[in-house]
Amino acid sequence: MLNGKHITLGIETSCDETAVGIVADGREMLANVISSQIDIHTEFGGVVPEIASRRHLENINSVIDMALDEAGITIDEVDLIGVTYGPGLVGALLIGVAAAKAISFAKDIPLVGVNHMHGHIAANYIEHPELEPPFMGLVVSGGHTNIINVKSYNTCEKLGSTRDDAAGEAFDKVARVIGLGYPGGPKVDKAAKNGDKDAVVFKRVYLEQGSYDFSFSGLKTAALNYINTERQAGRDINVNDVAAGFQEAIVEVLVDKAVGAALEFDQKRIVMAGGVASNSRLRELISERAGEHGIEICAPSPVLCTDNGVMIACSAYYAYQAGERSGLDLDADPSLEF
Ligand code: KG4
Ligand code: ZN
């Protein structure tokens, strides 16, 4: 407890960020320390799981100390430990789970295992104090693309997901194909700002009528085919136009399905989450289309869109309030469902 407030420390190590966040009463951010491994993985063009685990192991204790310092508290003032236990890379998850269990045991602090995807949604509660479920969730990250009917803090109904590549994965793959490099999302976002979204048009994939599922794997092949055809014809490729056209093909489908789901389930708000939620064109188009139906849009600022410990602390707080507890038998679950 700190000044009568309940303190949660959240640990996130599911992919390539060693992150620890501290929140008061589930809503107020006291610390947000993110140690990114992006420089090392960039050398390999993507996340190398074995390297990620080793780095988490080297970093975790100092990242926890830095977060406590930033919040101006000691571990004895922490009331709850939240930790991502899935989905993610198993070796990476294990480091966070082991650290969380060790602190919980040594300091006798309750422990709650958090679903990383629930965490992404919870990131919104920090900057939108009035936000409460129910709402429609659009979770778009490097590993997942989901439309989620969020009924309460701890009840999520999955309406759709990707059948192949996640939205962020498609951004990363196409960025590589067109020579923008890794990580693809922010680079495509930036290049697209100088491009014409109607110059190179990629097919929108909607799947069956009424489906909230996605399929993005064809976009990489389409981008490759386009580039090869142009090269063979001796024409120059305008990377900015390709980026803008590709981005529009992803964003339009995401927006149409998310707005469609909100209308079908009579939700007045769409809450975005995950790394791709920081995409500027996605934010612009979804606000425009949702606005036409009086639907409000909510999204975290970019630093809380990508992986962080604050969202895990926030999600753990609400799970704990609902009576959830994890024991020292908490294990990593790399393919945990929403
Ligand atoms: O949520 P996140 O940090 O990690 C996962 O849990 O997967 O999301 C990372 C993904 C990457 O694929 C990255 O390229 C994408 O989010 N991303 C973006 C943008 N910023 C990050 N995609 C499109 N536009 C962006 N501005
Ligand atoms: Zn994530």
Side-chain angles (χ1 to χ4, degrees):
M1 282 282 179
L2 181 70
N3 304 325
K5 289 182 177 170
H6 183 279
I7 304 295
T8 308
L9 181 143
I11 300 176
E12 156 60 40
T13 64
S14 67
C15 191
D16 60 342
E17 330 272 7
T18 316
V20 176
I22 298 176
V23 301
D25 287 344
R27 294 268 177 168
E28 186 190 341
M29 181 166 78
L30 301 183
N32 182 22
V33 178
I34 302 169
S35 168
S36 175
Q37 307 178 357
I38 203 141
D39 293 349
I40 324 157
H41 299 294
T42 298
E43 278 177 44
F44 300 96
V47 177
V48 184
E50 177 63 22
I51 296 177
S53 319
R54 284 165 190 261
R55 279 296 165 123
H56 285 311
L57 186 57
E58 284 164 21
N59 291 342
I60 188 72
N61 286 336
S62 56
V63 174
I64 292 170
D65 287 343
M66 282 160 72
L68 290 168
D69 271 1
E70 194 173 300
I73 60 169
T74 68
I75 193 73
D76 296 314
E77 281 155 313
V78 173
D79 301 295
L80 174 67
I81 310 275
V83 63
T84 305
Y85 74 104
L89 303 168
V90 67
L93 289 164
L94 278 170
I95 307 298
V97 169
K101 290 199 287 193
I103 302 171
S104 166
F105 178 68
K107 292 285 174 185
D108 197 19
I109 303 171
L111 175 70
V112 169
V114 173
N115 182 321
H116 180 81
M117 307 313 292
H118 291 203
H120 270 302
I121 288 177
N124 282 280
Y125 299 133
I126 299 293
E127 292 162 316
H128 304 96
E130 80 300 340
L131 178 66
E132 283 185 9
F135 50 74
M136 192 54 67
L138 173 63
V139 185
V140 274
S141 74
H144 298 265
T145 306
N146 295 115
I147 294 194
I148 306 289
N149 194 14
V150 181
K151 296 177 170 174
S152 75
Y153 282 108
N154 303 296
T155 323
C156 293
E157 180 195 5
K158 185 165 78 183
L159 302 180
S161 47
T162 183
R163 294 189 186 164
D164 40 58
D165 289 354
E169 197 176 355
F171 269 96
D172 294 335
K173 284 183 177 172
V174 170
R176 202 174 306 148
V177 166
I178 62 179
L180 287 173
Y182 173 86
K187 293 194 171 167
V188 169
D189 193 346
K190 196 166 164 217
K193 288 199 168 89
N194 300 314
D196 174 0
K197 66 178 171 50
D198 302 316
V200 188
V201 176
F202 291 98
K203 190 170 170 244
R204 275 67 165 151
V205 179
Y206 284 94
L207 302 169
E208 314 82 55
Q209 178 87 29
S211 168
Y212 291 117
D213 281 352
F214 300 93
S215 170
F216 294 125
S217 65
L219 279 167
K220 184 189 144 193
T221 318
L224 262 176
N225 287 344
Y226 171 78
I227 286 168
N228 289 338
T229 309
E230 294 300 289
R231 282 205 184 120
Q232 274 163 11
R235 288 189 286 264
D236 285 339
I237 292 152
N238 184 324
V239 171
N240 295 340
D241 285 349
V242 182
F246 152 76
Q247 177 175 266
E248 200 67 15
I250 285 214
V251 162
E252 209 167 76
V253 176
L254 290 173
V255 169
D256 284 344
K257 296 211 176 200
V259 173
L263 290 172
E264 183 182 339
F265 290 84
D266 202 24
Q267 297 283 20
K268 300 285 177 276
R269 237 179 199 156
I270 297 172
V271 168
M272 300 206 289
V276 183
S278 60
N279 181 269
S280 58
R281 180 61 186 149
L282 174 60
R283 287 181 178 230
E284 183 179 70
L285 192 66
I286 202 165
S287 301
E288 199 181 298
R289 295 266 173 91
E292 290 164 9
H293 300 280
I295 297 167
E296 235 180 85
I297 297 296
C298 197
S301 53
V303 69
L304 292 179
C305 280
T306 43
D307 295 348
N308 63 83
V310 173
M311 68 186 201
I312 302 306
C314 191
S315 187
Y317 173 81
Y318 284 103
Y320 183 74
Q321 296 301 317
E324 260 182 59
R325 306 285 184 269
S326 299
L328 293 177
D329 56 349
L330 178 69
D331 203 359
D333 183 350
S335 44
L336 183 66
E337 283 289 323
F338 219 104

